[in-house]
Amino acid sequence: MVSVLQACAAHTALEQGRFLHGYILRRGLDSILPVMSTLITMYARCGRLDLGERVFSMMNKKDAVSWNSLISSLVEEGKMLFNSMVKEHGIYPSVEHYACMVDLLGRANRIHCNVVAERASKRLFELEPRNAGNYVLLADIYAEAKMWDEVKRVKKLLEARELQKVPGRSWIEVKRKIYSFISVDEFNPQMEQLHALLAELSTEMKDRGFKPQTKVVLHDLDEEEKERIALGHSEKLAVAFGLINTKRCILYNRNTLLKIIHVL
């Protein structure tokens, strides 16, 4: 359910999202925190912040993810809540709070957000100087703003401090056996087949109007090269492996399959 809601959010499919909301209520899934947090995000991405707030207010139990889902939907309110932690409640921000603010400002994609995000990132570096993920987060913000010199500067900091981000890993079960994939995996004997299938699906997606999501590639490259790198992400490799090695691929509606690959 979380994955389907995320797909609706990515495509701003509000009507499908509202249908899923009704399904969640009928099935009694409204007590599951990850489902409700994703529902909040879905409404926010579809431009219905009011419905996201209503879902949040009706939740009997809330966790950090629930709050982050709400805060990430309202930039100004998020900044206000962050500032009120110390001023009104005497709560001093932790590493998680600063990371949330950097992510929030990065998603906002405003002109002034880079300065504030950089300030918050520096605070993160002070709190967790050996956490490579903090550096990657800042590099992602600079890449989104096409500030490639700053991206290079952050990468040099990573190298100078001998830090390395752990590559993403995805798992898939095929015929009762678990297979693991990482983004830089070249050891799978079917790797050529996997890349060929993903390239075929990518071409078909573009023919149908889908735009490849290349902003996650933190390199100043042309779009074609970014698309090639993005196709090597672990989630896509795992899905392609599952399709090649099972007969279920013939049961997939082609449009649904393309949307799954696009979201990943």
Side-chain angles (χ1 to χ4, degrees):
M1 189 55 60
V2 167
S3 298
V4 178
L5 285 170
Q6 287 174 339
C8 289
H11 293 281
T12 60
L14 178 60
E15 289 306 311
Q16 287 88 340
R18 296 187 73 164
F19 173 80
L20 288 169
H21 189 179
Y23 178 86
I24 288 168
L25 295 176
R26 290 194 300 273
R27 292 286 182 174
L29 302 177
D30 52 328
S31 61
I32 302 176
L33 284 174
V35 172
M36 300 308 287
S37 297
T38 312
L39 185 62
I40 294 169
T41 301
M42 184 277 296
Y43 276 130
R45 298 277 174 84
C46 291
R48 292 302 305 269
L49 301 181
D50 56 326
L51 295 179
E53 290 180 8
R54 190 181 303 173
V55 170
F56 180 83
S57 64
M58 294 179 68
M59 293 173 63
N60 294 325
K61 184 180 179 183
K62 303 175 180 69
D63 61 1
V65 177
S66 308
W67 279 99
N68 285 343
S69 297
L70 182 66
I71 291 171
S72 297
S73 307
L74 310 154
V75 179
E76 294 305 320
E77 284 82 352
K79 290 165 63 178
M80 180 187 69
L81 286 170
F82 183 80
N83 292 328
S84 72
M85 289 177 64
V86 175
K87 293 180 180 178
E88 298 180 19
H89 304 288
I91 301 173
Y92 288 88
S94 65
V95 171
E96 290 78 13
H97 295 114
Y98 281 106
C100 181
M101 279 306 298
V102 173
D103 186 56
L104 167 64
L105 293 167
R107 290 175 187 273
N109 200 24
R110 294 186 179 191
I111 295 174
H112 70 273
C113 80
N114 296 309
V115 177
V116 184
E118 183 176 23
R119 193 183 309 157
S121 295
K122 286 180 179 177
R123 179 61 177 147
L124 274 178
F125 298 156
E126 293 172 10
L127 293 168
E128 287 187 323
R130 305 297 300 174
N131 187 344
N134 295 333
Y135 296 83
V136 175
L137 188 60
L138 181 59
D140 188 32
I141 291 170
Y142 285 139
E144 181 75 20
K146 301 191 183 305
M147 299 170 66
W148 300 112
D149 288 339
E150 293 300 317
V151 173
K152 291 177 183 177
R153 182 177 66 83
V154 174
K155 287 185 175 181
K156 285 181 180 179
L157 275 176
L158 270 171
E159 293 174 4
R161 298 179 184 182
E162 297 182 344
L163 301 176
Q164 187 174 5
K165 185 177 182 295
V166 178
R169 183 179 293 272
S170 298
W171 293 265
I172 187 169
E173 180 181 351
V174 176
K175 298 176 182 176
R176 298 185 179 181
K177 185 176 180 180
I178 302 295
Y179 296 87
S180 174
F181 291 87
I182 58 175
S183 300
V184 293
D185 192 355
E186 295 293 341
F187 300 105
N188 191 292
Q190 291 183 304
M191 192 56 66
E192 288 189 14
Q193 287 178 272
L194 302 184
H195 284 297
L197 174 59
L198 289 171
E200 176 190 339
L201 292 173
S202 178
T203 300
E204 189 170 343
M205 283 192 288
K206 286 192 285 187
D207 291 342
R208 297 192 182 199
F210 288 102
K211 187 177 180 182
Q213 298 182 354
T214 58
K215 66 179 182 179
V216 294
V217 180
L218 303 181
H219 301 283
D220 186 12
L221 303 169
D222 58 50
E223 282 300 304
E224 185 176 346
E225 184 62 16
K226 284 186 177 182
E227 289 175 22
R228 188 191 68 78
I229 293 174
L231 283 178
H233 284 184
S234 60
E235 302 97 327
K236 293 184 175 71
L237 293 174
V239 170
F241 181 83
L243 292 173
I244 288 175
N245 290 282
T246 68
K247 296 180 180 179
R248 295 180 183 177
C249 59
I250 62 173
L251 302 177
Y252 273 103
N253 175 282
R254 195 71 173 179
N255 287 329
T256 302
L257 174 59
L258 294 177
K259 286 182 180 180
I260 291 172
I261 297 293
H262 176 67
V263 170
L264 293 176

